[in-house]
Amino acid sequence: MNKKSKPSAYTLPASQLQKIIDLLHEQGYTVIGPQRQDNAIIYDEITSTDALPAGWTDVQEGGTYQLQRRDDDAWFGYAVGPHSWKQFLFPAKKKLFTIERETFRAQAEPADKTRYAFLGVRSCELHAIAIQDKVFRDGPYADPAYSRLRNNAFFIAVNCTEPAATCFCSSMNTGPGAESGYDLLLTELIDSGQHEFLISSASAKGRALLGKMELPEATPAARERGQELLARAADKMHRRMDAEKARKLLLANPEHPHWQELGARCLSCANCTMVCPTCFCSTVEDVTSLTGDTAERWRRWDSCFTMGHSYIHGGHIRSSGAARYRQWLTHKLATWVDQFGVSGCVGCGRCITWCPVAIDVTEEITKFEPVTQETAA
Amino acid sequence: MAEIKKPKLAVWKFASCDGCQLSLLDCEDELLAVAESVQIANFPEASREIIKGPYDISLVEGSITTPHDAERIHRIRRQSRLLITIGACATAGGIQALRNFTSVDSYVTTVYATPAYISTLKKSTPISEHVPVDFELRGCPVNKYQLLEVINAYLNGRRPNTPPHSVCMECKSKGLVCVAVAQKTVCMGPLTHAGCGALCPEYNRGCFGCYGPKETPNTASLAAWWREHGEKNTDIMRSFRGFNAYAEPFRKESEAHENI
């Protein structure tokens, strides 16, 4: 196909986004999108653009999250909330199989054939999904349930123009603009009195859908505005993480006294791992019928902050809070790279916001830096 | 083939409100299945028929508050193969353990017209302070599904699935929005043992800590955070002094905020 014959971006009037949702429904997709619920922007099933959090933004800091009215009625004018797409592709609780005592044969759970269309996926979240792909789909121990849901899904990304104070994707090279991993990509433009989106596609599925829309090519001015908004978003991010430096610091300091200070603050409540879009730990529980004639195996989310996570015959390997925090941070930012070739952190800042005592990974990592003569003075 | 003898189940009450043993009757749909799997041998709240011990499973509700009960629990232990305590009273002393922080005599003289008739202990204590306990099921009251799970697990010779992690993990698994972070609500969830299914956060309330301390609770860190955010010491003390006030981590933290 001659690339030049197709424009790279089109203009989608806001009123036309509903048509995309309708087309996805026609194709059998369950559309999941952002909406305002319980004082937060969460992800749930959506049938109409009326459900989008129009005019709301999220103000975030360590241990705090608040919704605030925006000056405009932007639909995607927030950063990220407590939910992530993980809960759909890797559900918190899932039955794996049933087994009968009589036959002693395991009956696998029928595959979940839901086809999700995720609307409003941020660049950091696309990176998080790419990381979970390495774990659940592309690695030596593929999870068929994850692979099926993920391969069936349709991704509508939205470039992030309103990062929260807790975001640090620009320093992790995971945002704010989406570069790959999506079917359609939107950039919301609202400042000129008009409400419209730049829209482009990066897959056959995306192009096919876009082909049904008959949209005008985006003007150079609109495209420029999109770039400008992204550059401004990157500038807004004050938290930073130097991934390479973080990795070196963690690997060099397993016995650093700062781990004890972190252990004294950390609640081991596991919130950071629950909200982290890349954390993938789970455990299994077996349940029986009262009579013992049938049994089921369930998988549920686990966390390296629970004692059970490091329990082996004879006891727990990581019984102190400091040891568990070290395990989490060192895996996330250092040994993850050895294991999967990328950092386990995408800079979404959820672990900072949703930590009940506001432990900030971007700040904590600096505590492991060697004390130089200037800083000591 | 001879019919396999069903395990004998007994339910015992000590100082308590009956809510936990009622959870068993509350099972409704599942109750018939339970009655088919066990012989309900001693459960005065459900049946007048009392079958003599020994018993395969004894569920014990309530705390030890009188000299008479301190004796009685030993007799029950002797006739029980498995002794499972259910609820905050039996596992931590219950709300009545608030007496442990003051002088019980002052209550007795305030409440009763003839205090001389009252024979009570100075402290309300969990069953485990008196006899060995095979399993403790937490909660005020216990969750009926967890109670079924414990009975089920023992009938089938497996470990009950009652994870000791935080309520936060239940909250997040349900997709609930954190009330502490999004609403600045004082919430005991990060310190509290799971089991209720994050009932209060689901209704936009902070966790009250009904299930007592989770494994490795870091009470000092959360209390310090609350203090920094304007909570008064007396309020912090009260947060820890609920149904599980006498559970050691909560007791120590409440004492740290007393009279300061």
Side-chain angles (χ1 to χ4, degrees):
Chain A
M1 187 171 63
N2 181 359
K3 272 193 167 175
K4 279 179 187 165
S5 67
K6 295 256 182 196
S8 62
Y10 300 85
T11 297
L12 176 81
S15 58
Q16 292 283 298
L17 186 60
Q18 182 64 47
K19 195 175 164 193
I20 291 187
I21 294 176
D22 296 340
L23 283 170
L24 288 165
H25 280 145
E26 275 171 33
Q27 293 176 20
Y29 285 102
T30 300
V31 183
I32 309 288
Q35 47 206 284
R36 194 160 59 93
Q37 201 181 88
D38 297 327
N39 305 295
I41 291 165
I42 54 109
Y43 300 149
D44 207 345
E45 194 172 348
I46 204 167
T47 53
S48 157
T49 53
D50 292 343
L52 295 170
W56 289 92
T57 194
D58 45 12
V59 180
Q60 305 189 42
E61 253 311 327
T64 130
Y65 176 101
Q66 284 200 301
L67 289 185
Q68 228 171 58
R69 286 297 305 189
R70 291 173 58 87
D71 297 334
D72 58 29
D73 285 325
W75 291 350
F76 299 95
Y78 58 88
V80 288
H83 287 187
S84 73
W85 310 99
K86 168 171 102 171
Q87 71 208 52
F88 301 99
L89 299 175
F90 169 50
K93 205 162 187 264
K94 182 178 168 31
K95 195 203 284 184
L96 299 178
F97 60 76
T98 309
I99 192 160
E100 307 273 336
R101 184 186 287 275
E102 191 114 326
T103 58
F104 212 70
R105 197 169 293 158
Q107 183 78 45
E109 267 302 279
D112 183 349
K113 292 184 177 156
T114 311
R115 295 167 75 215
Y116 286 118
F118 298 130
L119 169 63
V121 187
R122 302 300 188 180
S123 176
C124 59
E125 298 180 317
L126 289 170
H127 281 265
I129 291 163
I131 289 170
Q132 290 213 327
D133 286 348
K134 284 174 186 274
V135 180
F136 289 132
R137 191 187 63 173
D138 307 333
Y141 309 104
D143 171 0
Y146 174 91
S147 306
R148 176 190 284 269
L149 287 170
R150 194 256 176 266
N151 291 340
N152 278 343
F154 191 101
F155 295 89
I156 306 173
V158 175
N159 274 330
C160 195
T161 54
E162 203 66 63
T166 40
C167 293
F168 53 101
C169 69
S170 59
S171 60
M172 293 300 293
N173 295 317
T174 51
E179 279 163 3
S180 62
Y182 55 82
D183 295 297
L184 291 175
L185 172 65
L186 304 172
T187 308
E188 188 168 25
L189 303 174
I190 196 167
D191 44 355
S192 52
Q194 267 180 321
H195 191 191
E196 59 189 25
F197 294 92
L198 288 173
I199 186 166
S200 57
S201 61
S203 72
K205 277 193 281 190
R207 276 190 294 277
L209 196 122
L210 212 47
K212 295 181 180 164
M213 296 293 292
E214 292 172 13
L215 298 170
E217 185 178 352
T219 62
R223 269 190 286 192
E224 209 170 287
R225 182 72 188 130
Q227 288 308 313
E228 212 177 280
L229 288 170
L230 279 176
R232 210 163 66 186
D235 283 347
K236 273 192 210 164
M237 278 179 253
H238 298 305
R239 278 186 166 85
R240 307 198 66 74
M241 174 82 77
D242 181 335
E244 193 41 46
K245 193 162 140 195
R247 178 166 176 253
K248 283 185 185 146
L249 283 174
L250 291 169
L251 293 178
N253 289 293
E255 303 296 339
H256 197 284
H258 190 59
W259 291 120
Q260 296 307 319
E261 279 175 50
L262 275 166
R265 274 180 76 197
C266 174
L267 304 173
S268 292
C269 60
N271 274 305
C272 48
T273 55
M274 299 285 107
V275 295
C276 177
T278 71
C279 272
F280 55 75
C281 283
S282 67
T283 185
V284 289
E285 281 176 353
D286 291 345
V287 296
T288 47
S289 63
L290 266 174
T291 55
D293 291 335
T294 59
E296 292 168 358
R297 176 159 292 179
W298 287 75
R299 182 186 72 186
R300 64 168 176 84
W301 284 356
D302 197 9
S303 165
C304 50
F305 285 98
T306 69
M307 291 289 273
H309 188 270
S310 75
Y311 181 83
I312 57 163
H313 173 76
H316 306 276
I317 294 175
R318 295 184 281 267
S319 51
S320 72
R324 295 198 289 273
Y325 198 89
R326 178 179 63 185
Q327 161 64 24
W328 180 64
L329 200 65
T330 308
H331 185 216
K332 184 81 23 189
L333 299 174
T335 52
W336 201 298
V337 181
D338 305 311
Q339 202 178 356
F340 301 111
V342 286
S343 169
C345 175
V346 295
C348 71
R350 284 182 177 89
C351 59
I352 304 173
T353 300
W354 301 98
C355 173
V357 292
I359 298 176
D360 179 346
V361 288
T362 62
E363 192 187 318
E364 298 309 328
I365 201 73
T366 63
K367 307 282 170 65
F368 295 96
E369 282 173 15
V371 181
T372 61
Q373 282 184 331
E374 296 121 78
T375 51
Chain B
M1 198 174 81
E3 199 186 328
I4 300 165
K5 260 182 111 179
K6 287 195 249 177
K8 282 162 79 178
L9 177 85
V11 182
W12 308 96
K13 178 186 160 64
F14 287 81
S16 57
C17 77
D18 283 35
C20 290
Q21 51 173 308
L22 279 176
S23 302
L24 192 55
L25 290 179
D26 207 20
C27 289
E28 294 173 354
D29 292 346
E30 300 86 356
L31 192 59
L32 286 176
V34 173
E36 273 173 27
S37 303
V38 298
Q39 181 183 21
I40 295 178
N42 186 340
F43 187 8
E45 193 119 6
S47 167
R48 267 181 293 183
E49 188 191 14
I50 306 282
I51 296 162
K52 274 175 72 177
Y55 305 101
D56 293 289
I57 305 175
S58 276
L59 299 177
V60 177
E61 174 197 89
S63 68
I64 304 296
T65 55
T66 66
H68 171 252
D69 277 356
E71 290 281 317
R72 187 163 64 101
I73 189 62
H74 284 279
R75 287 203 297 276
I76 291 167
R77 176 69 267 190
R78 278 198 295 272
Q79 39 179 339
S80 308
R81 196 164 66 83
L82 279 172
L83 191 150
I84 299 168
T85 53
I86 57 170
C89 300
T91 61
I95 192 73
Q96 60 274 24
L98 288 178
R99 70 162 72 166
N100 304 3
F101 299 91
T102 176
S103 148
V104 74
D105 296 336
S106 65
Y107 286 163
V108 171
T109 50
T110 309
V111 174
Y112 297 99
T114 317
Y117 292 149
I118 303 299
S119 166
T120 191
L121 296 169
K122 289 198 183 324
K123 286 188 172 174
S124 168
T125 45
I127 303 298
S128 60
E129 281 200 16
H130 301 265
V131 294
V133 169
D134 295 294
F135 188 81
E136 293 188 316
L137 181 65
R138 305 283 207 81
C140 184
V142 294
N143 174 319
K144 71 170 186 176
Y145 298 107
Q146 283 209 322
L147 182 58
L148 276 175
E149 165 64 11
V150 170
I151 295 170
N152 181 328
Y154 279 102
L155 289 177
N156 286 293
R158 63 177 174 85
R159 199 178 59 160
N161 296 307
T162 54
H165 56 62
S166 67
V167 170
C168 302
M169 282 181 68
E170 297 193 297
C171 229
K172 291 290 186 290
S173 295
K174 279 185 150 181
L176 302 177
V177 177
C178 177
V179 295
V181 169
Q183 294 182 51
K184 306 263 173 287
T185 305
V186 169
C187 180
M188 293 280 282
L191 307 174
T192 301
H193 194 295
C196 63
L199 193 57
C200 291
E202 191 159 16
Y203 289 91
N204 267 313
R205 300 290 298 266
C207 166
F208 289 93
C210 305
Y211 281 59
K214 75 170 190 75
E215 60 181 12
T216 68
N218 189 347
T219 56
S221 173
L222 191 59
W225 172 264
W226 288 339
R227 192 81 189 86
E228 267 171 53
H229 288 78
E231 286 295 309
K232 293 194 201 104
N233 269 314
T234 46
D235 293 334
I236 295 172
M237 182 196 79
R238 283 182 186 137
S239 293
F240 288 101
R241 222 164 259 189
F243 315 108
N244 289 280
Y246 201 56
E248 188 173 282
F250 286 5
R251 173 174 64 78
K252 285 188 170 161
E253 197 57 44
S254 78
E255 283 168 349
H257 300 271
E258 210 170 26
N259 308 320
I260 50 171

